Amino acid sequence: MAEGDNRSTNQLAAETASLEEHLQGWGEVILVTDKILRWEKPWFPPAMLSVVSFVFLMIYYLDPSVLSGVSCFVMLLCLADYLVPALAPRIFGSSKWTTEQQQRFHEICSNLVKTRRKIVGWWKRLFAFKEEKPKMYFTTMLCSLAVIAWIGQQVHNLFLTYLIVSFFLLFPGLNKHGIISKYAGMAKREVNKLLKQKEKKNE
């Protein structure tokens, strides 16, 4: 058991080191993005939502085709991949990195590796569920996809995408400041109250 844990830890460290090496040119940008996503300043959330809202309003106004939208998005990614590693050191000054910044960069890469592992684990469990209980798997998948399709039919695609993107961008800050755990706890207490009331009625 200890050998397995050591092997897993060593593999995690190796994957983290590899990711750090690949993202080294993006280090300064990643640290700034991390500060924004974790709401280190109170004006970060409204500023972030303002930028996202402006981008989606421009998409709504221009109304590009799917092909044009995908092409522009990929083009921006290519430009960023080329320009950021070259310009970031001049703008932020990577030589001025502190030990704290290097440690935070290491933590971010480690968290990214752990998140990737979790996604792969969920994917494997999904296929294991399919093999073990195929009828329940297909029933669950069909019902879930039908609900998603119904929601997509009721809400405008662009607005739904805007809500999803906004939620994912706000999630790290909501999680750090305990807002998610607070409301999740409130919801759990309300559900428990309803269940207790139902049990009393049945008695």
Side-chain angles (χ1 to χ4, degrees), residues 52-199:
V52 173
S53 300
F54 175 76
V55 170
F56 274 87
L57 282 173
M58 289 300 296
I59 294 172
Y60 178 76
Y61 176 75
L62 296 173
D63 192 23
S65 65
V66 175
L67 186 60
S68 298
V70 172
S71 298
C72 290
F73 180 70
V74 175
M75 182 175 63
L76 289 174
L77 287 180
C78 291
L79 284 171
D81 186 48
Y82 176 75
L83 294 175
V84 168
L87 297 178
R90 299 179 183 179
I91 297 173
F92 299 100
S94 58
S95 59
K96 298 178 183 178
W97 266 36
T98 63
T99 305
E100 184 181 352
Q101 288 175 316
Q102 186 63 45
Q103 180 63 28
R104 183 58 195 162
F105 180 63
H106 175 76
E107 290 174 2
I108 293 169
C109 291
S110 180
N111 289 334
L112 288 173
V113 171
K114 290 176 182 176
T115 302
R116 183 176 62 187
R117 284 186 166 194
K118 285 181 181 178
I119 294 172
V120 172
W122 291 337
W123 191 256
K124 288 180 179 178
R125 281 195 289 272
L126 183 64
F127 276 93
F129 179 57
K130 177 184 176 182
E131 294 294 329
E132 294 170 3
K133 299 179 179 179
K135 291 182 180 179
M136 188 179 292
Y137 165 81
F138 283 111
T139 303
T140 305
M141 290 298 292
L142 288 174
C143 291
S144 302
L145 292 171
V147 170
I148 293 171
W150 179 81
I151 293 173
Q153 193 66 27
Q154 302 303 313
V155 185
H156 192 280
N157 289 335
L158 189 62
F159 181 64
L160 187 60
T161 306
Y162 167 76
L163 292 178
I164 293 171
V165 170
S166 298
F167 173 76
F168 276 107
L169 290 175
L170 291 173
F171 182 81
L174 291 170
N175 189 44
K176 182 196 171 188
H177 291 271
I179 298 173
I180 291 178
S181 58
K182 175 184 174 182
Y183 285 100
M186 290 172 60
K188 188 177 180 180
R189 286 193 294 271
E190 291 299 322
V191 171
N192 289 334
K193 285 181 183 178
L194 292 172
L195 291 174
K196 287 179 180 178
Q197 290 175 0
K198 189 175 180 181
E199 287 175 1

Side-chain angles (χ1 to χ4, degrees), residues 7-25:
R7 193 181 300 113
S8 178
T9 303
N10 292 335
Q11 188 177 359
L12 176 63
E15 290 179 14
T16 302
S18 176
L19 185 61
E20 283 184 43
E21 184 179 351
H22 281 94
L23 295 179
Q24 197 63 46

